[in-house]
Amino acid sequence: MRKFLLPALLSGLVLACGPKEVTVDYTQMSDEERLQAATEIAQSTIMVDGHVDLPYRMKVGGFTLQREILDVSVRTPDGNFDFPRSREGGLDAPFMSIYIPAGNQAIPGASKALADSLILMTERLANTFPDKFAMAYSPADVEANFNKGVISLPMGMENGSGIEDELANVEYFHGRGIRYITLTHGKDNLIGDASYDTTGTHGGLSEFGEQVVAEMNRVGIMVDLSHVSDNTFRDALAISKVPVIASHSSVRKFTPGFERNMSDELIKAMADNGGVMMINFGGSFIDSAYAAGSAKVREHIVNWLAENNLSRRDSAAQVYIKEYTAANNPFPTVQRVADHIDHVVNLVGIDYVGFGSDFDGVGDSLPTGLKDVSMFPNLIAELLKRGYSKEDIEKICYKNIFRVWQAVEDYAASQK
């Protein structure tokens, strides 16, 4: 089990008060003291992230079943996730996204085949580095791995197209270790309509989609409503017998017109269902001003490269791009992510929100102060500054998602 020393300030408080429980007012600390306290909380508390796109990054990076070209057991020069940075940030259980691009839907069998290959890659990672990673199929597995000091790799399938048109594949993927399925992705599929699509193929869930949701309940797979249209969201809530999740979605209030995020109506409906909303950190998800600001920066850089007859690969260009972007920073900050968490908490309470970063899935759009998994303490420190307690942080880090996950498991067990 990992053990950590309390910061000196907190140790003094505990010693002075003896065995009594101490309520610490983090808002009165200096920024340095608060970050120290946040780091201690991150390191000593189980932390779950609802969505990390490492498997597809491994595929793009050339990962094979014979050898690992992208070795995330050591610090990597790019991407947002690897073992050392995960340890620094206190991340213990990143849900590995088994991501299936919408383009695969057009080829029969392609979605399932890709899902199987990404699952194998994830398993290979755990088998190759058993002192660092382990598979996890339940909250109990995550807790056991935490106590052993290894990072859990639970899996969620992003895009239900992997089910193809065979309902039996729901149970198949449960057997392969999938513990949530995001019903759609960028396009409508056989299950239902997607938020990024404007076709409205089914007007929500299809008849097949209704069967899929019921079957996911039966076998013990969480229903993930990120990426779905509002109608699909409502239909799935009406059918599910257990709480649902949004593994990587943010608040629509801050991005008006962006259906991919959740409206207040849907946030309330998810809370009424007992579900949990896991906040996406991507720039376009947390601040509508990001798209306009980043477009201006990109336009300037493209013009500058052309004027200087350089490509992005040239070292001089890389230096200039880094300096110009820093001087004309289009990115939101970690405070904006906290704004989204605040909004959910103020709307429905502390029991219905979590982290769903989308690390390795949103490119370079991540906020200042939250660029990779090592920086989770910055977000926790900001929440402490706003008056969140250690118990609140624990709910956001893992207790809320554990509650939903366990409820789904318990319901499935009752159906056998």
Side-chain angles (χ1 to χ4, degrees):
M1 179 183 292
R2 288 184 284 162
K3 295 181 180 179
F4 302 90
L5 295 175
L6 286 168
L9 174 64
L10 302 188
S11 297
L13 287 172
V14 173
L15 290 173
C17 298
K20 294 181 180 179
E21 186 175 343
V22 177
T23 300
V24 180
D25 187 355
Y26 297 101
T27 65
Q28 298 304 306
M29 292 180 175
S30 68
D31 288 346
E32 182 179 358
E33 289 169 339
R34 194 162 37 242
L35 181 58
Q36 185 183 6
T39 301
E40 159 61 22
I41 292 171
Q43 293 291 340
S44 61
T45 301
I46 295 173
M47 188 188 299
V48 178
D49 186 329
H51 195 89
V52 174
D53 272 296
L54 178 65
Y56 201 77
R57 177 183 161 211
M58 290 193 297
K59 173 181 170 60
V60 173
F63 188 105
T64 69
L65 295 182
Q66 289 72 44
R67 61 193 182 98
E68 293 74 39
I69 296 174
L70 175 63
D71 183 359
V72 294
S73 72
V74 297
R75 193 176 301 273
T76 55
D78 52 17
N80 312 128
F81 174 90
D82 54 47
F83 179 81
R85 287 184 286 174
S86 194
R87 268 289 168 259
E88 291 168 14
L91 178 59
D92 302 291
F95 265 90
M96 296 286 97
S97 171
I98 305 304
Y99 164 57
I100 304 168
N104 282 50
Q105 297 168 191
I107 307 170
S111 292
K112 181 176 181 295
L114 177 58
D116 280 329
S117 71
L118 295 180
I119 291 169
L120 286 171
M121 287 182 191
T122 305
E123 292 172 337
R124 177 75 177 195
L125 182 62
N127 293 334
T128 303
F129 305 106
D131 59 327
K132 295 180 172 68
F133 301 106
M135 303 305 296
Y137 308 111
S138 67
D141 287 347
V142 173
E143 188 168 5
N145 290 338
F146 176 80
N147 290 332
K148 289 188 293 186
V150 297
I151 293 174
S152 292
L153 302 178
M155 295 183 292
M157 186 163 70
E158 186 179 22
N159 195 350
S161 68
I163 297 167
E164 303 285 347
D165 58 354
E166 293 290 337
L167 192 64
N169 281 332
V170 175
E171 187 166 19
Y172 168 81
F173 278 116
H174 181 270
R176 295 292 291 110
I178 295 297
R179 290 301 178 265
Y180 75 67
I181 295 177
T182 317
L183 298 184
T184 68
H185 192 255
K187 295 287 185 182
D188 300 352
N189 61 20
L190 296 178
I191 294 172
D193 297 342
S195 61
Y196 285 135
D197 204 336
T198 59
T199 307
T201 303
H202 311 286
L205 276 182
S206 66
E207 290 185 12
F208 178 65
E210 293 175 358
Q211 296 173 29
V212 167
V213 169
E215 182 70 355
M216 289 170 67
N217 286 177
R218 187 187 74 81
V219 304
I221 295 178
M222 290 180 281
V223 177
D224 178 18
L225 300 182
S226 289
H227 278 288
V228 303
S229 71
D230 287 4
N231 285 336
T232 302
F233 196 110
R234 297 185 189 98
D235 288 349
L237 275 182
I239 291 171
S240 182
K241 303 295 184 183
V242 292
V244 302
I245 67 169
S247 68
H248 59 306
S249 294
S250 299
V251 175
R252 197 179 299 173
K253 174 188 174 182
F254 299 101
T255 56
F258 186 37
E259 190 177 357
R260 171 66 179 81
N261 275 347
M262 288 171 57
S263 67
D264 286 2
E265 173 209 342
L266 298 183
I267 295 170
K268 290 176 181 177
M270 175 169 279
D272 288 343
N273 161 270
V276 62
M277 175 185 182
M278 310 182 83
I279 300 298
N280 191 312
F281 299 169
S284 61
F285 288 83
I286 62 173
D287 199 327
S288 58
Y290 167 75
S294 60
K296 290 180 180 178
V297 170
R298 284 196 301 271
E299 181 180 6
H300 172 84
I301 290 172
V302 168
N303 291 335
W304 183 88
L305 290 172
E307 291 167 2
N308 290 274
N309 197 28
L310 293 172
S311 75
R312 289 179 179 271
R313 293 187 296 273
D314 293 317
S315 58
Q318 291 175 10
V319 170
Y320 180 82
I321 291 169
K322 183 177 181 179
E323 292 178 350
Y324 181 85
T325 302
N328 298 271
N329 187 357
F331 303 105
T333 66
V334 66
Q335 286 79 16
R336 197 52 152 172
V337 179
D339 290 344
H340 284 252
I341 293 172
D342 271 351
H343 184 81
V344 177
V345 172
N346 291 335
L347 190 66
V348 296
I350 191 65
D351 297 317
Y352 308 102
V353 68
F355 299 141
S357 66
D358 214 349
F359 280 138
D360 281 333
V362 287
D364 62 357
S365 74
L366 290 156
T368 301
L370 206 51
K371 293 293 188 182
D372 63 40
V373 293
S374 72
M375 298 184 183
F376 270 108
N378 291 338
L379 177 55
I380 293 174
E382 178 62 27
L383 294 174
L384 295 176
K385 185 177 183 178
R386 298 182 183 207
Y388 287 75
S389 68
K390 183 175 184 290
E391 292 71 25
D392 292 335
I393 301 300
E394 289 172 347
K395 287 187 175 184
I396 296 170
C397 283
Y398 79 100
K399 288 184 177 179
N400 291 342
I401 184 62
F402 268 24
R403 171 180 52 78
V404 173
W405 194 353
Q406 193 61 55
V408 171
E409 289 211 332
D410 290 348
Y411 179 83
S414 74
Q415 302 304 297
K416 295 179 181 178

